[in-house]
């Protein structure tokens, strides 16, 4: 996990988005396509407030399915996604195209 130390360093909150069945309490779930099948992500229903500004952070962007699903979860909770950040982007797979108008940044890009 890279999100918790980043949030701690910035003095801001942190919320987990996990695979289905990993979080306690009521959750919001979204299904998304993987290059080899389907998966589901969850967030706790009370994790963010409507209108809250969020940044989504992950280690890798490949096809963009997971990042897009995370953005969809935030939309369902009525949060505002300011941008998406990853450490590594696999540019050949064009995953950032799924994010459309959401600003996207990666530290390392590989073709």
């Amino acid at each position: 996990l890279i999100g918790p130390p980043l949030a701690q360093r910035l003095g801001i909150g942190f919320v987990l988005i996990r695979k289905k069945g990993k979080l306690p309490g009521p959750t919001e779930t979204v299904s998304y396509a993987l290059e080899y099948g389907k998966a589901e992500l969850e967030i706790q229903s009370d994790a963010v407030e409507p209108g809250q500004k969020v940044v989504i952070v992950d280690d890798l962007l490949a096809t963009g399915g997971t990042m897009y699903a995370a953005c969809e979860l935030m939309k369902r909770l009525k949060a505002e996604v300011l941008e998406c950040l990853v450490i590594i982007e696999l540019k050949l797979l064009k995953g950032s195209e799924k994010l459309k108008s959401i600003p996207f940044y990666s530290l390392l890009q590989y073709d």
Side-chain angles (χ1 to χ4, degrees):
L1 291 171
I2 58 172
L6 179 61
Q8 184 178 29
R9 174 77 178 212
L10 296 173
I12 58 176
F14 173 79
V15 173
L16 282 172
I17 296 176
R18 301 282 317 262
K19 292 179 181 174
K20 186 172 177 70
K22 303 277 186 184
L23 295 173
T27 59
E28 187 70 34
T29 305
V30 66
S31 296
Y32 63 103
L34 297 167
E35 54 275 23
Y36 49 83
K38 287 190 133 190
E40 292 180 298
L41 285 182
E42 287 186 326
I43 187 170
Q44 287 178 298
S45 300
D46 61 353
V48 296
E49 298 291 326
Q52 189 170 355
K53 293 174 175 26
V54 300
V55 174
I56 299 174
V57 179
D58 205 352
D59 57 348
L60 175 73
L61 182 83
T63 63
T66 303
M67 185 69 74
Y68 180 78
C71 291
E72 284 299 305
L73 283 172
M74 289 299 151
K75 237 192 259 184
R76 288 184 186 182
L77 295 178
K78 298 180 178 21
E80 180 185 349
V81 178
L82 298 178
E83 58 192 31
C84 297
L85 310 171
V86 297
I87 295 174
I88 299 169
E89 176 185 7
L90 303 179
K91 301 221 22 122
L92 183 66
L93 299 175
K94 301 179 182 181
S96 64
E97 292 177 7
K98 285 187 179 166
L99 303 175
K100 300 176 184 160
S101 64
I102 299 169
F104 171 78
Y105 303 95
S106 57
L107 293 176
L108 301 169
Q109 300 87 31
Y110 296 100
D111 287 323

